[in-house]
Amino acid sequence: RLADNPALSAAVEQGCVIPVYILATEEESPWELGGASRWWLHQSLSGLAKELDQRGSRLILRSGNALETLQQLITETGATAVYWNRRYEPTIIKRDKTIKQKLHGDAIDVESFNGSLLFEPWEIATKQGDPYKVFTPFWKSCLARNAELTPLRIPKTLRPPAEWPNSEILTDWQLEPKISWDDGMREFWDVGESAAGKQLAKFAKRSAASYEDQRNLMAEDGTSRLSPHLHFGEISPRQVWAKLQATLDANPDAKDGAKTFLSEIGWREFAYHLLYHFPHTTKKPLRENFANFPWSKSKQDLRRWERGKTGYPVVDAAMRQLWHTGWMHNRARMIVASFLCKHLRIPWQRGAEWFWYTLVDADLASNTLGWQWTAGCGADAAPYFRIFNPITQGEKFDPTGAYIRLWVPELAELPTKWLYKPWEASDSVLNEAGVTLGDNYPAPIVDHSAARQAALDAYDKIKKS
Ligand code: FAD
């Protein structure tokens, strides 16, 4: 993005600027971009290139080893400084440290900035100087800092170099899927900085005041849908913060909604705090006894979950929303994650991997936190024994059934009462709605009560160990 981009603003102060994006796929390993993220990245880079063009600048695209690419560009252009905004994924921290050292050694002025968090993960600590593992005191400690969070403006001018270096061509990178999987994503999303700004403005005006009441209703447009924009840096949390403060000043009735919404931004900060201090948690449980959990290895169950064919309508609706749009409602994420880890007892890591591949907002910090939280093995996690009931969750958070009807159209004609548990409906009700269980909609893959008990028994084993 161009607004509130500290690295860009600092570079502009120094002289002419060459904006560069380096695609270094292998360096992201083991978390190379998933399919949906690649799609988003393509649209996002294309949008950024247009914004830069309009201001007489350009976006230079290069692929390959990041350090070598930068050194090559420095040789080609005579650049004397390299600035970027920090990332916090463990392998990227390591890589960027090496780049900094090497370029310093080449007498280049190198600086990194905070462009994507309200607070650096290392700035917040308990009185004993330890990282937080519980959200509420963490967020209180963030808020108590009363930090200056005013976003930076778009630089007035971006001075171009005398000669532009060559750029690779975006379409040559083949970031978009080869199969026509992205139709739904195209329909659902406007990508890029200006789309992100519009989405924030729309949310602040229409939904912030009702966020508290609406945010759990899966069929409603009650949340901001800013997650992919935030993840890809098209908008910054400082911009979100400033906009919500302005909304609060103008509309005191929005107080509760805005406060809750900002605490969700706080969860994002918490996720980065945890990722920074406990980098192993992307693969391993924070609570170590969970390493001995008797997980199931059923590939068939995993596949049915991924494809939205579990026979539990609310779970299937959510998984199909994910596949179609690259996004899933937060309430739905909790329901499907709980179903995978508890009803099917499949390791949370398998669920995290599927989300990583299919979410347009796939984010190592938030995804890890979300999965460990739901599986009961992370920081401030939901206790394992609190098992989401996929029937009552649907009744409560999709009370009209609109969410299920939209994503599981084969059940659309069922009366709402049976929509959450079609296997309990009589043959005549099913017939009238055109539903044949096991034929045009699956029978439930597990029995809720039996699966719940099996999960609790499994948990008892690790509790004792
Ligand atoms: P809003 O309700 O409008 O919230 C505003 C912003 O706050 C979001 O855009 C997001 O940046 C942040 N936020 C909200 N809830 C959370 C949360 N629980 N944890 C961290 N940040 C939060 N979020 C991701 O951005 N990427 C992920 O890969 C991701 N994986 C998840 C996996 C699981 C199993 C679960 C339970 C949650 C996951 N989340 C993830 C968190 C959350 O579901 C999404 O951030 C949210 O649904 C995005 O929609 P929104 O922008 O409309 O959210």
Side-chain angles (χ1 to χ4, degrees):
R1 63 174 184 273
L2 303 183
D4 198 34
N5 183 333
L8 180 65
S9 293
V12 165
E13 297 276 302
Q14 300 299 319
C16 39
V17 178
I18 305 173
V20 180
Y21 182 87
I22 302 173
L23 183 71
T25 312
E26 298 86 61
E27 292 170 19
E28 308 274 341
S29 172
W31 294 102
E32 288 99 338
L33 287 180
S37 296
R38 286 168 68 87
W39 175 83
W40 191 285
L41 178 64
H42 179 103
Q43 324 303 320
S44 197
L45 289 174
S46 158
L48 180 60
K50 279 189 201 126
E51 299 275 353
L52 286 166
D53 275 352
Q54 282 164 11
R55 289 170 173 81
S57 185
R58 280 189 201 174
L59 180 62
I60 301 301
L61 302 175
R62 293 279 173 106
S63 57
N65 175 286
L67 172 64
E68 286 168 14
T69 307
L70 282 171
Q71 285 173 323
Q72 172 74 26
L73 272 165
I74 290 165
T75 310
E76 286 174 32
T77 61
T80 54
V82 177
Y83 296 164
W84 67 76
N85 295 316
R86 281 190 275 278
R87 286 180 52 189
Y88 303 89
E89 294 82 356
T91 48
I92 300 297
I93 291 181
K94 211 164 138 206
R95 177 197 71 183
D96 289 353
K97 268 191 186 156
T98 311
I99 294 182
K100 233 182 212 180
Q101 269 170 7
K102 295 272 190 222
L103 293 185
H104 272 312
D106 297 345
I108 298 292
D109 170 21
V110 192
E111 270 187 71
S112 63
F113 300 83
N114 175 1
S116 50
L117 293 175
L118 297 173
F119 307 98
E120 293 290 10
W122 52 86
E123 282 173 4
I124 312 290
T126 64
K127 283 202 183 89
Q128 293 71 37
D130 296 326
Y132 280 98
K133 285 188 183 173
V134 179
F135 173 71
T136 304
F138 166 82
W139 189 228
K140 265 196 191 148
S141 158
C142 292
L143 295 176
R145 295 174 75 88
N146 267 328
E148 173 56 58
L149 296 170
T150 311
L152 299 163
R153 292 177 180 281
I154 297 182
K156 282 207 178 82
T157 47
L158 295 168
R159 240 173 63 205
E163 204 178 322
W164 284 103
N166 290 337
S167 172
E168 291 174 21
I169 295 167
L170 183 58
T171 44
D172 288 350
W173 286 0
Q174 301 190 352
L175 293 170
E176 295 186 291
K178 291 191 181 78
I179 51 166
S180 63
W181 166 38
D182 50 338
D183 290 351
M185 292 188 250
R186 277 180 202 288
E187 213 177 284
F188 197 72
W189 296 104
D190 280 333
V191 182
E193 179 170 6
S194 71
K198 280 186 200 146
Q199 184 67 16
L200 173 60
K202 185 179 123 191
F203 174 76
K205 193 168 165 203
R206 287 206 218 142
S207 314
S210 54
Y211 183 74
E212 183 73 16
D213 302 329
Q214 299 278 306
R215 71 194 184 103
N216 272 310
L217 298 176
M218 294 177 285
E220 301 302 323
D221 192 9
T223 66
S224 70
R225 300 196 180 174
L226 282 171
S227 49
H229 300 292
L230 277 164
H231 171 75
F232 280 92
E234 294 171 356
I235 201 160
S236 75
R238 279 188 296 260
Q239 290 171 289
V240 175
W241 184 271
K243 184 77 185 169
L244 265 287
Q245 294 301 339
T247 306
L248 266 177
D249 292 343
N251 176 11
D253 288 347
K255 189 168 157 244
D256 289 348
K259 224 174 124 194
T260 307
F261 176 76
L262 289 175
S263 79
E264 295 303 328
I265 299 291
W267 274 96
R268 180 175 179 273
E269 298 282 318
F270 187 47
Y272 276 89
H273 181 76
L274 293 170
L275 180 66
Y276 180 78
H277 289 290
F278 308 102
H280 65 284
T281 54
T282 57
K283 294 274 178 197
K284 292 191 180 142
L286 187 67
R287 295 180 189 197
E288 284 167 13
N289 58 337
F290 269 83
N292 302 323
F293 192 88
W295 296 112
S296 152
K297 291 194 172 69
S298 170
K299 287 213 168 89
Q300 198 192 11
D301 284 356
L302 176 62
R303 185 83 181 146
R304 288 172 76 174
W305 175 84
E306 289 172 350
R307 294 294 165 182
K309 296 205 160 140
T310 65
Y312 280 86
V314 77
V315 173
D316 295 342
M319 297 308 292
R320 295 182 198 185
Q321 178 185 35
L322 172 62
W323 182 250
H324 190 75
T325 67
W327 183 87
M328 191 196 284
H329 192 282
N330 180 58
R331 170 60 49 181
R333 292 186 203 208
M334 293 193 285
I335 297 171
V336 302
S338 173
F339 189 84
L340 185 80
C341 305
K342 297 178 181 175
H343 285 76
L344 302 182
R345 277 178 289 119
I346 289 180
W348 59 270
Q349 291 94 330
R350 299 294 85 72
E353 284 157 12
W354 182 250
F355 270 30
W356 184 258
Y357 192 76
T358 50
L359 277 173
V360 286
D361 65 20
D363 180 281
L364 197 56
S366 298
N367 201 36
T368 304
L369 170 69
W371 277 97
Q372 293 230 18
W373 185 91
T374 323
C377 57
D380 207 0
Y384 184 86
F385 56 78
R386 200 175 295 155
I387 295 175
F388 277 55
N389 178 327
I391 303 153
T392 52
Q393 286 284 313
E395 288 167 346
K396 200 162 166 202
F397 299 113
D398 183 26
T400 65
Y403 183 70
I404 294 177
R405 288 197 175 90
L406 177 64
W407 295 111
V408 190
E410 59 269 39
L411 300 181
E413 298 301 323
L414 269 182
T416 306
K417 182 178 173 198
W418 303 114
L419 200 52
Y420 315 97
K421 42 182 180 187
W423 59 91
E424 286 188 13
S426 65
D427 286 348
S428 68
V429 169
L430 290 173
N431 271 341
E432 213 166 302
V435 177
T436 312
L437 292 182
D439 180 11
N440 63 355
Y441 185 71
I445 177 174
V446 284
D447 170 73
H448 165 64
S449 302
R452 183 175 179 280
Q453 194 51 52
L456 291 175
D457 293 346
Y459 179 59
D460 263 352
K461 282 194 190 126
I462 61 157
K463 240 180 20 187
K464 280 173 199 143
S465 77

